[in-house]
Amino acid sequence: MRRVSDLLRTPAGRRLTLVAGPWDAREVGSVVLVDEMRELTTAAPGALAILSRHAMRSCDVLDALRLAGRGGLAGIVLPGPSGTTREIVELARRERVALLAGASDHSLSDTVLGLSAAVRADPGLLLRRTREAIDGIGAMEGAGEEDILRAASASVGVSYVVAGLADPGANATVIRVGGRPDGYVCWDGEDPAAAIVAQVVATTLGRVRAAAREAEAARERALLALLGAKDTRTAARRARHEGVPVDGWHVAVFLRDPGGDMSPGAADPVLREVRGTVAAWPGALGAGGTAELSAPPLVTRWQDGVLVLLTADERTTLNLPNSQRPPNQWPPALRRSGVGAGLGTCQEGPDGLRRTAAQARAAAARAAAGEVVRFDRLGVHALLAELSGSDSALVAARDMLAPLERLGALSAHAVPTLKAYLDSWGSRTRAAELLNLHPNAVAHRIRRIAEALDADLSDPQTRFALQLACHVVLDHDCLAVTVSR
């Protein structure tokens, strides 16, 4: 560990003159610039304080020595040449503080930088600072990234920040998660201890991020399992265990590409954008009342899009404008030109979670690119979406249409053909346009379908029942959940 006598032999120290006091009474642990005398009272024990001319205007040398001795400082450096008196010499000796004078032709910044570099280069101090910083980081098991960065910065005396990219000439250490780069820990200066500790910080942040992402993935798997479960009670219990807030009030948002291209690769950019902005969603979605989120929003890839689940302890409402265009304050992901969004209603508990997700998906299916559709404004389509989510309605609809499975090659197209025909009020020409077929082909298909169902398509009740069954089956197939991802 260096003392004042050692620093006086360094290039930066040769410009200093010992005026009074012992030069080896205390070890020098740091070098600080003092521009106001109150800063002298907060300097760390063992510091060598460089006083500016501004600081000396509010305090004389005797007061400065008393403050330095009270704080256990190793020494103080006065700006420019300084005289001395017997009282100063006696006080410096008694307080065990080295009093030094700087050269008038040397800047304070050069003196601070030069002496700081000399102190940091001391092997003993470097080892102690590094060990203390590493021990401090190790004691922060379970802390968040901001707390780790703050503690590491305070222990070493540099400011660590995290960046997605690092400038070529900057001090930076890569953060790795699962062996892959995931950002950088950056800092300024040439402190060897800072470089060593940065490696530990980067490794610690990598572990923190890996653990957080594994917990997030477990929550997503549990959420997907709940959405597709037949045994809701068991799936809800597992979801609770993984940290999914299933018992609150839920509002779901579903984002999809109206063109149908939301495969895993195509959905990834939307997924990343949503995860990066989701913290601002409650305000952007106009959550009313005093309810606050009871847990961070859940974001996962689901079906042909991205599902966002917002949960609060109290019932909340969405105060959205009547326009289907997202307002400017909405998150960027909702304003992407190629993405449509659907919003479910506020629902309670595990069953409510499943319902609002299905509602959001049904609403998104009717949203054009760049539009937002609320489920509670779907009108008659809301009833069809609710029926699609009903197990009993689905069983009845599938039983009604089951004979179509015996039509061989036509079976895969039978339900969409029948739906198009009935939606077109029995017009073969309009149905042909919807299906991109010749009207005669539609007539041939409908004849075979009617024969297979043994149904009179001229009967209004039969037409209505079959039309409803087609919507229930096709909407449910569109909403079917796949959890084997």
Side-chain angles (χ1 to χ4, degrees), residues 454-466:
D454 191 21
D456 179 8
L457 297 184
S458 64
D459 177 63
Q461 290 186 344
T462 300
R463 286 201 311 270
F464 175 73
L466 288 173

Side-chain angles (χ1 to χ4, degrees), residues 191-471:
D191 188 348
I196 297 172
V197 173
Q199 296 280 353
V200 180
V201 173
T203 301
T204 303
L205 294 185
R207 289 200 302 268
V208 169
R209 291 184 177 185
R213 290 175 189 177
E214 177 54 36
E216 182 181 20
R219 284 192 295 271
E220 291 179 20
R221 291 192 295 268
L223 173 61
L224 292 174
L226 176 59
L227 290 173
K230 294 182 178 179
D231 183 357
T232 305
R233 181 175 298 180
T234 301
R237 186 164 54 249
R238 176 195 167 193
R240 290 188 191 95
H241 177 73
E242 296 295 350
V244 179
V246 299
D247 299 309
W249 288 86
H250 313 286
V251 174
V253 184
F254 191 83
L255 306 177
R256 67 182 294 273
D257 181 0
D261 183 18
M262 284 290 271
S263 58
D268 284 346
V270 178
L271 197 64
R272 287 194 296 269
E273 188 173 7
V274 170
R275 283 176 173 161
T277 61
V278 75
W281 280 41
L285 290 173
T290 58
E292 296 182 356
L293 293 188
S294 58
L298 285 175
V299 183
T300 184
R301 188 184 295 112
W302 181 48
Q303 285 301 293
D304 57 343
V306 173
L307 176 69
V308 181
L309 185 70
L310 308 172
T311 302
D313 290 329
E314 302 175 13
R315 186 183 183 92
T316 186
T317 58
L318 297 179
N319 302 320
L320 302 179
N322 292 325
S323 171
Q324 286 188 312
R325 294 290 172 180
N328 290 333
Q329 70 268 27
W330 278 44
L334 289 183
R335 291 185 274 109
R336 289 169 51 92
S337 60
V339 173
L343 291 104
T345 60
C346 188
Q347 300 286 334
E348 185 181 18
D351 291 328
L353 185 155
R354 289 155 57 96
R355 174 170 291 183
T356 187
Q359 290 176 347
R361 174 63 183 80
R366 292 167 176 80
E371 287 186 343
V372 179
V373 175
R374 289 180 53 161
F375 180 83
D376 57 5
R377 295 177 184 170
L378 285 180
V380 68
H381 297 293
L383 175 61
L384 293 174
E386 290 285 8
L387 286 174
S388 300
S390 167
D391 291 338
S392 59
L394 180 62
V395 170
R398 284 178 171 170
D399 287 345
M400 185 178 297
L401 300 173
L404 299 180
E405 298 176 2
R406 299 194 294 267
L407 290 177
L410 178 57
S411 62
H413 309 286
V415 176
T417 300
L418 180 59
K419 176 179 177 294
Y421 176 75
L422 296 173
D423 286 351
S424 302
W425 296 88
S427 170
R428 293 181 306 222
T429 302
R430 175 58 181 155
E433 293 175 357
L434 294 175
L435 297 169
N436 198 23
L437 293 173
H438 192 278
N440 290 342
V442 173
H444 173 70
R445 286 186 179 184
I446 292 299
R447 185 170 56 254
R448 293 189 61 192
I449 289 170
E451 292 173 355
L453 293 173
D454 191 21
D456 179 8
L457 297 184
S458 64
D459 177 63
Q461 290 186 344
T462 300
R463 286 201 311 270
F464 175 73
L466 288 173
Q467 185 178 16
L468 190 59
C470 289
H471 276 274

Side-chain angles (χ1 to χ4, degrees), residues 37 40 51 56 59-69 76:
M37 290 310 296
L40 194 62
L51 275 58
M56 289 305 299
C59 184
D60 61 21
V61 176
L62 292 173
D63 289 337
L65 283 172
R66 292 188 184 96
L67 290 174
I76 56 176

